[in-house]
Amino acid sequence: MQSELELQVEHLCKSYRKKEALRDANFMLQNGIYGLLGENGAGKSTLMRMLVTVDFPTSGSIRYGGRDVFSMDEEYRSLIGYMPQDYSVYAGFTARDFLEYMGVLKGISEAKLKSRIPEVLAFVNLSDVADKKIRTFSGGMKRRIGIAQAIINEPRILILDEPTAGLDPKERIRFSNIISDMGKDKIVLLSTHIVSDIEAIATKLIVMKQGEVLETGNVQELVHKVKCQVWETVVSQETYHRLRKDRSVIHLKQLGKDVQVRFVGEKYPDVESCPVEPTLEDYYIFSGGIIEESED
């Protein structure tokens, strides 16, 4: 197992003309899986692009093992595996040919690729379609070949931007298992707006809103902060419309004339409510995250 090194972000800022996309971000990453959580426009993709040196900060620094990553050039990039949100593959390639092509671009020798490609295809469960054209792949299979190209160089740092977007539940579970298996000896940063995916995979969390890092920490410890602040109740339609103006509603379910509601915050006066165990979604709402009110 490789020795653990830290990826340190200090006072990181990024501006595009008059827009501040990222303001004074500070956190540290070590081996393990980190969830990067925030609504669209929170600055997640901007941050990830700088972590992989695709974009440059306006100010601040990113250091790996105490060294500035932008001065490390190819040495740092050889440690990176990256799957951007809008990831496209060459549909005319077979899976094997595509990984060979990406491996050559990453400077991997032909001899190494000969053994590495079958390993990676097996890891993402695509061995049986190694010689099939990527154009014939499902969305989930294309996501898995995206993971394959990201890890072909055996990276120490793996950055995944919305990797489960558009996948069906079965593919999301399979994808989660693949990612979970990689957190033992790597820094894995996973960005998504699907809170349940992060809860299933990550042990640590970075929460962003409007270009700022609101909070970082262990997922369980952060969720514990909203213990005794999450409630469920069944109320009339009239009471529900009053409640939703004063509390953050997480889920609701129509029950004929009544509504079953899960909300976060202080107990609502004059409404019989039961406290329930909090989830990461509850914490996210409580901490100021934005999620569309969902109806079952």
Side-chain angles (χ1 to χ4, degrees):
M1 183 173 175
Q2 296 176 344
S3 60
E4 182 173 330
L5 292 175
E6 298 173 349
L7 187 63
Q8 183 76 49
V9 172
E10 295 181 336
H11 304 295
L12 200 66
C13 300
K14 179 64 179 180
S15 297
Y16 297 99
R17 296 184 180 178
K18 295 181 179 180
K19 179 185 176 183
E20 279 188 301
L22 191 68
R23 290 188 296 279
D24 198 32
N26 294 275
F27 58 86
M28 181 179 66
L29 304 178
Q30 297 175 312
N31 284 356
I33 300 176
Y34 294 79
L36 181 59
L37 191 58
E39 73 272 21
N40 291 336
K44 304 189 302 295
S45 293
T46 297
L47 172 61
M48 296 177 108
R49 286 172 59 84
M50 287 190 285
L51 288 174
V52 299
T53 68
V54 171
D55 207 349
F56 294 87
T58 304
S59 61
S61 65
I62 304 171
R63 297 183 178 277
Y64 181 69
R67 301 170 62 192
D68 181 85
V69 300
F70 293 97
S71 66
M72 292 173 68
D73 294 328
E74 288 300 322
E75 182 184 354
Y76 177 70
R77 283 189 283 276
S78 70
L79 303 173
I80 292 288
Y82 179 42
M83 182 178 172
Q85 180 176 356
D86 298 319
Y87 179 73
S88 58
V89 293
Y90 298 96
F93 280 14
T94 66
R96 191 188 308 277
D97 289 343
F98 177 66
L99 291 181
E100 182 177 1
Y101 172 73
M102 295 302 296
V104 169
L105 289 182
K106 294 183 179 188
I108 305 172
S109 70
E110 184 178 345
K112 177 67 175 175
L113 283 173
K114 190 171 183 179
S115 61
R116 181 64 179 155
I117 288 173
E119 289 175 4
V120 170
L121 286 170
F123 184 72
V124 298
N125 196 25
L126 289 175
S127 297
D128 58 340
V129 292
D131 297 308
K132 299 279 188 183
K133 299 280 190 180
I134 294 175
R135 69 164 59 94
T136 67
F137 286 9
S138 67
M141 293 165 72
K142 288 176 181 176
R143 291 283 176 179
R144 279 186 273 149
I145 200 69
I147 278 281
Q149 66 80 29
I151 65 174
I152 190 72
N153 59 322
E154 300 180 87
R156 286 282 293 114
I157 303 165
L158 187 60
I159 308 290
L160 306 171
D161 194 355
E162 297 285 356
T164 60
L167 300 187
D168 63 37
K170 185 177 179 180
E171 282 287 359
R172 281 171 54 198
I173 291 170
R174 182 181 293 146
F175 207 88
S176 296
N177 292 336
I178 290 171
I179 295 169
S180 295
D181 202 34
M182 293 188 288
K184 298 185 292 291
D185 59 353
K186 300 183 192 310
I187 295 171
V188 181
L189 182 62
L190 166 73
S191 166
T192 181
H193 64 281
I194 304 172
V195 182
S196 58
D197 283 354
I198 284 184
E199 192 162 29
I201 302 170
T203 56
K204 301 166 188 176
L205 189 67
I206 301 169
V207 183
M208 296 188 68
K209 184 178 181 181
Q210 296 178 351
E212 295 184 348
V213 174
L214 291 183
E215 198 160 21
T216 63
N218 179 279
V219 170
Q220 290 183 338
E221 291 174 357
L222 292 175
V223 170
H224 188 73
K225 287 186 174 186
V226 294
K227 194 170 181 64
C228 302
Q229 296 280 344
V230 186
W231 310 86
E232 285 189 357
T233 185
V234 176
V235 295
S236 67
Q237 297 283 348
E238 181 183 353
T239 302
Y240 163 66
H241 287 295
R242 291 203 313 269
L243 186 152
R244 66 179 295 186
K245 294 178 182 178
D246 300 324
R247 298 291 184 273
S248 296
V249 173
I250 299 167
H251 296 294
L252 66 111
K253 184 175 183 178
Q254 298 291 342
L255 302 174
K257 295 181 179 180
D258 295 328
V259 187
Q260 180 179 313
V261 185
R262 183 185 183 100
F263 66 93
V264 63
E266 295 181 1
K267 187 174 183 179
Y268 198 72
D270 303 321
V271 169
E272 187 176 340
S273 306
C274 296
V276 293
E277 282 298 308
T279 65
L280 181 56
E281 187 175 44
D282 300 324
Y283 160 76
Y284 182 51
I285 293 286
F286 189 79
S287 67
I290 298 174
I291 295 179
E292 291 294 328
E293 186 179 295
S294 62
E295 182 171 344
D296 296 329

